[in-house]
Amino acid sequence: MSAAATAPAGAQLPSRARGNAMISVLALSCFVFGCAYQYILGVPDQVAEIVGIDLSQVSLMMGVYGVCNAIGTPLLVMALTPRGPKTLLLVSLALMAAGMAVCAATPIYSIILAGRAIMGVGNGSFAATAYIAASRIAGPARSASAMSNVALGFSASFVFALPAARVLRDVITWQQAYWVLVAAAAFAFIVIALAVKIPDVPTSSSSSSQRATDVLRVFKNPCVVLPLACTALMFVGYASMNTYITPFMEGVLPDPTWVSGALFAFGLMSMVGSKASGWAADRFGSAPAVIGCVALQAATLVALGASTGSWAAALVAACLWTGISWGFLPAQNSFIMLNAGDDAAFAVSLSNSSLQLGSALGAFVAGGFIVCLPLSAMPFLSAAFTLVAVVAEVAALRLARRR
């Protein structure tokens, strides 16, 4: 694995216990950021009422967040990479806290959109850098497992944030909840500044011309570009199904009230998938783990579409699909870092951008699809995109082996 991805052989790694503690801080910070993203999805009606907008306009808050996440993340990472991952983590935390504070402090819609834009850049940059930092702290032997622990923070927020939003909606407003998250982000900033030490690696020139050359090198590397395309296609498939997973399950389950329990089960499976993929990548290699995740996702989507006549089979298939989908990113980032060399930080930030753009395109595709065909056919559409992602990943693996 490259020096940019993990600490070099001569670097002094922290003890395993201290390293695990530092990785846990990164994972908990990701949990906070995930909650900030997910919380308003649980109370969109409350958001619309407080801000004084139509319910449909709440979706623009999510769209601005995603676009700024996708575009702003690689720009910020490219600008601050020469200063090291710790600086990037702290700047990202500060941006996220500032964005949440802006959203919490005003009912003015345009200002809230600006706050969401700041949050998007901060969240994406922190996530991309946390993967790099965790891999360096853990060392090459446990790199993918460390990244899966970071992903576990995001998947845990998927389990917690939406149910918490529904329970707390009559107790506090969404803006008051954001102030709690601002305090949590500030605490994480202090802990990371004082207690997290990331092993140093050799760095190349940090001049503007050199960084521009580094960017071009990443885009000329097919072993990075093809996995990025795979990530985008995989999340087109994931988002197209996930956008309408609630009405889909309502139509499958015998009682619509069971959907809340199903969503909770999906959240638990996302945590299992995040953890399992890291172990698989360290045990069998990142490339086989990624190809396995994407191929199994396509298989479970086909099974989900074929089992709508049996609610039990459909529920099992949906749970497996969710777990496998969330297991994809840690293994994929490990593979990208392995092939990106000294440009690993920028390449992983592009992976985050591919995720965001793929998710946005998937939601758009799903909206057009259900106008023409029944919702029961959605899993097969998602599977088609995922199968194309398998082809891109296999091509990347073959090129990597030749190199």
Side-chain angles (χ1 to χ4, degrees), residues 45-339:
D45 51 342
Q46 186 188 76
V47 174
E49 181 180 355
I50 291 175
V51 182
I53 57 176
D54 294 334
L55 191 61
S56 60
Q57 291 178 282
V58 176
S59 63
L60 183 58
M61 295 170 62
M62 309 307 297
V64 166
Y65 182 100
V67 170
C68 292
N69 189 312
I71 297 174
T73 293
L75 295 177
L76 184 64
V77 169
M78 182 174 62
L80 294 182
T81 289
R83 296 183 176 273
K86 187 167 181 175
T87 298
L88 252 172
L89 289 173
L90 294 176
V91 170
S92 301
L93 268 167
L95 286 173
M96 190 70 182
M100 288 190 292
V102 168
C103 292
T106 179
I108 301 174
Y109 185 54
S110 58
I111 298 178
I112 290 175
L113 289 179
R116 292 287 293 179
I118 297 170
M119 285 174 61
V121 176
N123 190 353
S125 302
F126 187 91
T129 310
Y131 284 120
I132 299 290
S135 69
R136 288 191 190 176
I137 291 169
R142 298 190 300 121
S143 174
S145 294
M147 288 190 286
S148 73
N149 287 336
V150 171
L152 195 63
F154 284 112
S155 55
S157 70
F158 179 56
V159 178
F160 175 80
L162 289 179
R166 303 306 297 177
V167 170
L168 296 175
R169 61 177 296 145
D170 296 326
V171 179
I172 60 175
T173 67
W174 70 275
Q175 290 178 312
Q176 290 169 336
Y178 262 36
W179 282 122
V180 174
L181 295 173
V182 169
F187 180 73
F189 184 98
I190 294 170
V191 173
I192 290 175
L194 297 178
V196 173
K197 180 174 175 56
I198 303 168
D200 293 326
V201 299
T203 57
S204 57
S205 171
S206 59
S207 67
S208 298
S209 60
Q210 181 62 44
R211 289 199 295 273
T213 301
D214 293 342
V215 170
L216 292 175
R217 186 168 61 239
V218 169
F219 286 110
K220 289 179 179 179
N221 185 349
C223 296
V224 174
V225 173
L226 285 172
L228 292 176
C230 171
T231 298
L233 289 166
M234 206 287 295
F235 278 95
V236 171
Y238 174 79
S240 59
M241 184 69 238
N242 192 58
T243 299
Y244 293 101
I245 189 63
T246 297
F248 180 88
M249 295 308 297
E250 284 178 345
V252 170
L253 295 174
D255 188 339
T257 60
W258 291 14
V259 171
S260 295
L263 294 176
F264 182 74
F266 297 163
L268 292 178
M269 287 300 298
S270 72
M271 296 176 66
V272 173
S274 296
K275 187 64 180 173
S277 73
W279 171 85
D282 283 335
R283 177 69 177 81
F284 304 107
S286 55
V290 172
I291 292 173
C293 278
V294 184
L296 286 173
Q297 186 190 5
T300 52
L301 282 167
V302 172
L304 179 60
S307 60
T308 53
S310 169
W311 68 265
L315 182 60
V316 170
C319 285
L320 290 174
W321 164 70
T322 304
I324 293 165
S325 299
W326 278 80
F328 165 82
L329 199 59
Q332 178 73 313
N333 282 340
S334 178
F335 181 72
I336 289 174
M337 289 165 61
L338 182 67
N339 288 283

Side-chain angles (χ1 to χ4, degrees), residues 362-389:
F364 175 78
V365 167
F369 180 82
I370 62 171
V371 175
C372 308
L373 293 171
L375 191 57
S376 58
M378 185 67 73
F380 299 109
L381 173 72
S382 300
F385 282 105
T386 309
L387 286 171
V388 179

